[in-house]
Amino acid sequence: MTAPKAARRRRWIAAGLAVAAAAGACTDGYPTRDAPAAGDMSAAEHVHALNDMLRHEARSVDARLTLATPCILRLATTAPGAHESTASLRLETLHIAFSVDERYRVNLAPAANLPAARDHRFVVDGWQDAVAFRSHLQQLQMACVASKD
């Protein structure tokens, strides 16, 4: 092989290695595996994801969710130095919204046509967390409706 051909071949090999290295670095720290689709998760997995978010966002109140029935979500909260209090949230009548203040607040309230009951608010740091929180709750609502069919 002549010197110009060998030099050209080395350049092509170097270019190929550079492309391969660049392609391998394109994840930029993101997971290489996709997260499970929300519709493919079980009710228990949705509750687990919600509890992970609540644990991560805990500020002054410890909150934990459990699914009592397919349509009843039980919320247990404990403030520092206080006893645990529980509330049962009926998924089929729950209104889920979020608002923007300094941070994002997810509001859970009974539907407007129901007797007044306590609203529950969860503060999360970002828009993505608020949307994910709402999505997990909506998936639980859909599972509730499906369980009645």
Side-chain angles (χ1 to χ4, degrees), residues 27-45:
T27 60
D28 289 335
Y30 292 101
T32 55
R33 199 171 30 142
D34 286 339
D40 295 337
M41 294 173 70
S42 69
E45 290 171 319

Side-chain angles (χ1 to χ4, degrees), residues 3 14 16 35 37 44 48 85 97-98 110 116-117 125 129 133-134 142 144-145 147:
H48 181 74
S85 65
F98 59 87
D125 283 327
D129 291 338
F133 200 95
R134 181 180 65 181
M142 290 189 297
C144 167
V145 170
S147 74

Side-chain angles (χ1 to χ4, degrees), residues 51-127:
N51 281 324
D52 279 348
M53 293 176 81
L54 289 174
R55 191 170 21 262
H56 174 70
E57 297 301 331
R59 298 295 190 260
S60 61
V61 176
D62 180 35
R64 187 178 68 261
L65 295 166
T66 55
L67 200 57
T69 69
C71 295
I72 302 288
L73 193 61
R74 188 149 297 130
L75 171 65
T77 55
T78 309
H83 293 289
E84 180 179 88
S85 65
T86 60
S88 293
L89 309 171
R90 298 188 60 76
L91 286 165
E92 65 263 343
T93 61
L94 201 59
H95 174 71
I96 305 161
F98 59 87
S99 61
V100 180
D101 309 18
E102 294 174 24
R103 295 166 61 211
Y104 289 81
R105 188 176 65 230
V106 181
N107 298 314
L108 306 183
N113 59 348
L114 294 177
R118 181 172 172 227
D119 290 359
H120 300 280
R121 294 174 177 88
F122 303 100
V123 176
V124 295
D125 283 327
W127 177 81

